[in-house]
Amino acid sequence: MSEPRNQWPLYEVFIRARSGLEHKHVGSIHAADARMAIEHARDVYTRRQEGVSIWVIRSSDITASDPADAEALFDPAKDKIYRHPTFYSIPDEVKNL
Amino acid sequence: MYTQGLDSLGADCLHLSAAETAALERRFQAKVDDDERIEPRDWMPDAYRQTLVRQISQHAHSEIVGMLPEGNWITRAPSLRRKAVLMAKVQDEGGHGMYLYSAAETLGVSRDELIDQLLTGAAKYSSIFNYPTPTWADVGAIGWLVDGAAIMNQIPICRCSYGPYARAMVRICREESFHQRQGFEIMMTLASGTPEQHRMAQDALDRWWWPSIMMFGPNDAASKHTAQSMRWKIKRFSNDELRQKFIDVTVPQAKFLGLRIPDPKLEWDEVTQHYRFGEIDWNEFQQVLKGNGPCNRERLEARRRAHEDGRWVRDAAMAYAEKRRAREAAAA
């Protein structure tokens, strides 16, 4: 068994496909430090010009919501359909609205 | 990612009553039945997690070991173009291994453990990579048949119920199609070349045909995981269905090349609209799986050596990163 101490830490990789688009999560990579993580992410995730910019962040630095809290977090938005434009009926003859 | 989160999730689960677990299982299966995806932090049955770890890591190991038979030809490719293409393909296999290890890690297993399982022989990888590549035509046959069979297997996994595996597979399938086409192109060039080149192409087909159709795994009746995997939507088609599909699309391709499939029982069945084919030598398949194939020892030996020879690089990089972190902390 190799020592767990020696395993390079895990980084999450985010890639901007082209300028004008947001960075998107594409996967993860092991590296000794952040700079190496960017180099490895370049090799693993952009072999076919998939990106123009890479972000990496230590996976252990991400705080994620718990799926068990999903109802508490997201259900309150369910009954607020008046936040959508289709909630309001406007006569057809009114234009540009 | 999420490895730490999973540990705590596991501990929480210990406090659940049997009724609570049953309710979670029902909700899980309902989600799967509705074609919803399961994501890393969602509750999942232990057996589902274990099945995925086994399947995804086997798949990752296959990509990594799969670099070896073709890597054999990089320095001897017949032209600069072929060499550039082969290097790109082998790099892709390495990349696919990385996507898959990442996906497996979301299930709470570490990369080190997975690599260890491969190097100690505890984990399996696809039996096909234990066959040798004595001629250049083998590079063509691997691309055409082995990658062709892999694509047939992998396309349905793009809709697998486990999100990270499905997403990795979408990337892989997009990249694999060039692998199959470059292989077929090599076969076309050889098959329409000199009589000697044609013989080389036929010889490669003769040696790779049966191992390729074994890649789909045992017959449905003998496949112990199929039923449960289908219920969990990890698997969408049975081994025999996929094998039949592969044979049906590949036989006309061989005809186009002017090559003969090495199966005297192969014939078109008008009634079923499928090819009938001869009996597969399952004894050979079992032997190769057990480690007695032509190259099993050589492949594992090569992986172990690469891992050992690279150890000082991994350790040095880690030590350097720690030193820099310590310096930055001291300066702050």
Side-chain angles (χ1 to χ4, degrees):
Chain A
M1 284 296 275
S2 44
E3 288 290 309
R5 184 179 64 83
N6 288 335
Q7 176 169 305
W8 289 346
L10 195 61
Y11 287 81
E12 296 304 315
V13 180
F14 300 80
I15 290 183
R16 185 198 294 286
R18 53 191 160 80
S19 64
L21 295 180
E22 65 276 58
H23 285 78
K24 208 175 141 193
H25 184 240
V26 294
S28 58
I29 200 94
H30 284 276
D33 59 24
R35 206 173 56 180
M36 186 195 278
I38 286 186
E39 284 162 8
H40 286 182
R42 194 280 308 258
D43 291 344
V44 172
Y45 293 105
T46 67
R47 287 191 305 282
R48 286 172 176 77
Q49 297 181 291
E50 287 93 337
V52 295
S53 162
I54 301 174
W55 285 351
V56 293
I57 182 167
R58 279 285 283 268
S59 308
S60 55
D61 287 343
I62 289 183
T63 308
S65 66
D66 187 335
D69 297 338
E71 277 178 31
L73 287 173
F74 308 114
D75 275 10
K78 244 188 201 163
D79 59 358
K80 300 182 178 56
I81 47 172
Y82 45 83
R83 284 177 174 163
H84 297 277
T86 44
F87 178 74
Y88 305 92
S89 46
I90 305 287
D92 283 349
E93 57 264 41
V94 183
K95 299 295 173 200
N96 300 317
L97 202 69
Chain B
M1 190 182 185
Y2 310 121
T3 312
Q4 294 83 355
L6 281 170
D7 293 344
S8 59
L9 200 67
D12 289 348
C13 289
L14 293 178
H15 305 304
L16 294 178
S17 69
E20 283 170 317
T21 307
L24 283 168
E25 249 164 46
R26 268 197 307 279
R27 205 155 60 187
F28 168 85
Q29 190 60 46
K31 252 176 114 172
V32 170
D33 292 343
D34 278 354
D35 270 331
E36 267 188 64
R37 293 290 181 267
I38 308 300
E39 292 296 340
R41 287 171 57 103
D42 292 340
W43 186 90
M44 61 186 89
D46 283 343
Y48 177 81
R49 188 187 301 280
Q50 283 153 11
T51 300
L52 280 169
V53 168
R54 195 191 65 240
Q55 184 174 331
I56 301 173
S57 62
Q58 276 180 12
H59 198 157
H61 300 326
S62 302
E63 299 281 359
I64 299 301
V65 177
M67 295 197 283
L68 297 170
E70 291 177 294
N72 186 31
W73 280 93
I74 289 178
T75 54
R76 291 174 286 162
S79 70
L80 189 56
R81 175 181 181 271
R82 296 287 189 207
K83 183 172 179 157
V85 168
L86 185 56
M87 275 203 289
K89 178 176 191 289
V90 172
Q91 281 175 334
D92 272 356
E93 313 293 5
H96 296 174
M98 297 303 121
Y99 305 156
L100 289 161
Y101 282 130
S102 279
E105 282 173 281
T106 65
L107 292 158
V109 59
S110 77
R111 178 80 56 108
D112 272 5
E113 283 172 75
L114 296 174
I115 304 280
D116 227 61
Q117 287 167 1
L118 171 67
L119 299 183
T120 58
K124 297 253 182 295
Y125 56 87
S126 181
S127 57
I128 194 85
F129 301 115
N130 292 312
Y131 290 86
T133 47
T135 81
W136 169 252
D138 293 329
V139 175
I142 288 179
W144 171 39
L145 299 173
V146 176
D147 289 281
I151 291 170
M152 199 59 91
N153 250 326
Q154 288 167 355
I155 285 178
I157 310 177
C158 295
R159 293 185 293 127
C160 164
S161 60
Y162 188 58
Y165 191 25
R167 290 192 288 274
M169 209 49 62
V170 168
R171 287 185 82 92
I172 291 174
C173 285
R174 212 162 39 210
E175 298 180 352
E176 289 273 359
S177 109
F178 123 67
H179 298 182
Q180 196 189 12
R181 290 171 70 111
Q182 66 85 36
F184 192 77
E185 193 199 60
I186 292 173
M187 294 303 276
M188 264 192 325
T189 307
L190 290 172
S192 61
T194 64
E196 200 187 342
Q197 286 171 327
H198 187 91
R199 267 199 303 279
M200 241 170 89
Q202 181 63 55
D203 164 64
L205 172 57
D206 288 346
R207 284 181 292 109
W208 289 95
W209 174 255
W210 289 102
S212 297
I213 65 172
M214 288 177 199
M215 278 176 70
F216 296 94
N219 286 134
D220 293 350
S223 175
K224 47 184 175 169
H225 304 300
T226 294
Q228 183 56 272
S229 285
M230 288 182 83
R231 212 167 72 86
W232 280 333
K233 294 192 181 169
I234 293 173
K235 201 168 177 171
R236 301 260 179 177
F237 298 96
S238 76
N239 296 353
D240 287 333
E241 284 173 306
L242 290 167
R243 185 169 13 247
Q244 184 68 56
K245 262 183 157 174
F246 174 74
I247 292 172
D248 288 346
V249 301
T250 309
V251 172
Q253 294 167 356
K255 275 195 186 128
F256 176 88
L257 292 171
L259 299 177
R260 180 182 33 79
I261 303 261
D263 178 358
K265 292 203 177 136
L266 188 80
E267 63 175 331
W268 178 250
D269 186 331
E270 266 306 327
V271 182
T272 61
Q273 293 288 299
H274 291 295
Y275 282 95
R276 272 198 299 248
F277 53 96
E279 187 57 33
I280 292 171
D281 181 357
W282 291 114
N283 182 45
E284 175 182 327
F285 179 71
Q286 292 303 337
Q287 283 303 318
V288 178
L289 273 191
K290 275 190 201 137
N292 302 322
C295 299
N296 293 59
R297 241 166 271 162
E298 187 185 330
R299 300 291 184 239
L300 264 192
E301 209 35 64
R303 284 313 312 153
R304 286 193 194 119
R305 205 168 46 240
H307 194 70
E308 277 313 310
D309 290 353
R311 182 183 298 280
W312 71 271
V313 179
R314 294 192 299 276
D315 289 348
M318 202 59 209
Y320 177 68
E322 271 161 18
K323 193 172 79 181
R324 286 210 339 170
R325 258 195 296 275
R327 258 193 218 148
E328 275 164 29

